[in-house]
Amino acid sequence: AQKVTQAQTEISVVEKEDVTLDCVYETRDTTYYLFWYKQPPSGELVFLIRRNSFDEQNEISGRYSWNFQKSTSSFNFTITASQVVDSAVYFCALSRGFQKLVFGTGTRLLVSP
Amino acid sequence: EPEVTQTPSHQVTQMGQEVILRCVPISNHLYFYWYRQILGQKVEFLVSFYNNEISEKSEIFDDQFSVERPDGSNFTLKIRSTKLEDSAMYFCASRAGQITDTQYFGPGTRLTVL
């Protein structure tokens, strides 16, 4: 069975602080895909990144970076120099490919000015 | 940029009534999904649909639920007799045909059952 754990329920930071959101996953598959989605207060789910299990290269996109480590089954997400607009719930998710996404419980990030 | 659309954005219904939630997936996508999110909780998979049939469904997707792709563009979720516990945000998602493709979500329909 697949499982995603986001142990941090809520994180509060002050603007310009760096913050890391943790994601730990469980799967028996050798090929799988990991995702991060952002859910702002307006409620929609916004795709941020997809990672394939065979590609452990870390990725940076502007202020966002992702650290994928198969050895620890983790796919952590770091926001550098956080901004108020980053306030949202962030979900980590796992899939086998064509099949469903299995979501974690989400981490609520609150960035205050 | 193409996007998944959903209507209505908010539906209020009485317990026991039937509701139909509508989705228009991205036009060249082949795989379609419904998820739900009870307020404050995680996003849960309901059903996936490919080639005009259900490819996978969760335990939540019981006989009260059905999905349909009545034409080339719409993808609907029907709840036959709503219960209070069906109150949630329902998200439609679609993806293209490659295994590496991403699921893109619509803005959601908030269903409130009174």
Side-chain angles (χ1 to χ4, degrees), chain A residues 37 39 43 50 97-98 101, chain B residues 33 35 37 95 97 100 102-103:
Chain A
Y37 285 86
Q39 187 173 44
R50 181 190 71 243
F98 289 120
L101 287 167
Chain B
Y33 307 82
Y35 293 81
Q37 184 183 30
R95 61 179 294 162
T100 52
T102 296
Q103 287 186 34

Side-chain angles (χ1 to χ4, degrees), chain B residues 46-84:
Chain B
L46 291 178
V47 66
S48 58
F49 193 85
Y50 170 70
N51 202 24
N52 283 319
E53 59 184 29
I54 291 174
S55 47
E56 187 181 2
K57 59 183 181 179
S58 71
E59 317 83 60
I60 303 167
F61 194 88
D62 61 22
D63 292 343
Q64 293 299 315
F65 291 88
S66 62
V67 289
E68 198 176 38
R69 188 153 161 82
D71 52 43
S73 59
N74 290 284
F75 179 50
T76 62
L77 174 69
K78 183 194 290 187
I79 309 175
R80 253 179 281 282
S81 177
T82 50
K83 307 184 188 81
L84 294 176

Side-chain angles (χ1 to χ4, degrees), chain A residues 8-54:
Chain A
Q8 303 152 309
T9 307
E10 187 168 311
I11 300 175
S12 291
V13 298
V14 177
E15 220 174 7
K16 296 183 184 171
E17 281 186 33
D18 298 347
V19 58
T20 296
L21 310 181
D22 298 332
C23 172
V24 174
Y25 63 92
E26 294 175 33
T27 181
R28 292 181 183 168
D29 298 309
T30 52
T31 301
Y32 52 89
Y33 302 84
L34 294 161
F35 303 80
W36 277 95
Y37 285 86
K38 174 182 179 179
Q39 187 173 44
S42 48
E44 70 272 26
L45 286 166
V46 179
F47 165 74
L48 295 178
I49 189 172
R50 181 190 71 243
R51 226 9 162 201
N52 307 328
S53 56
F54 42 87

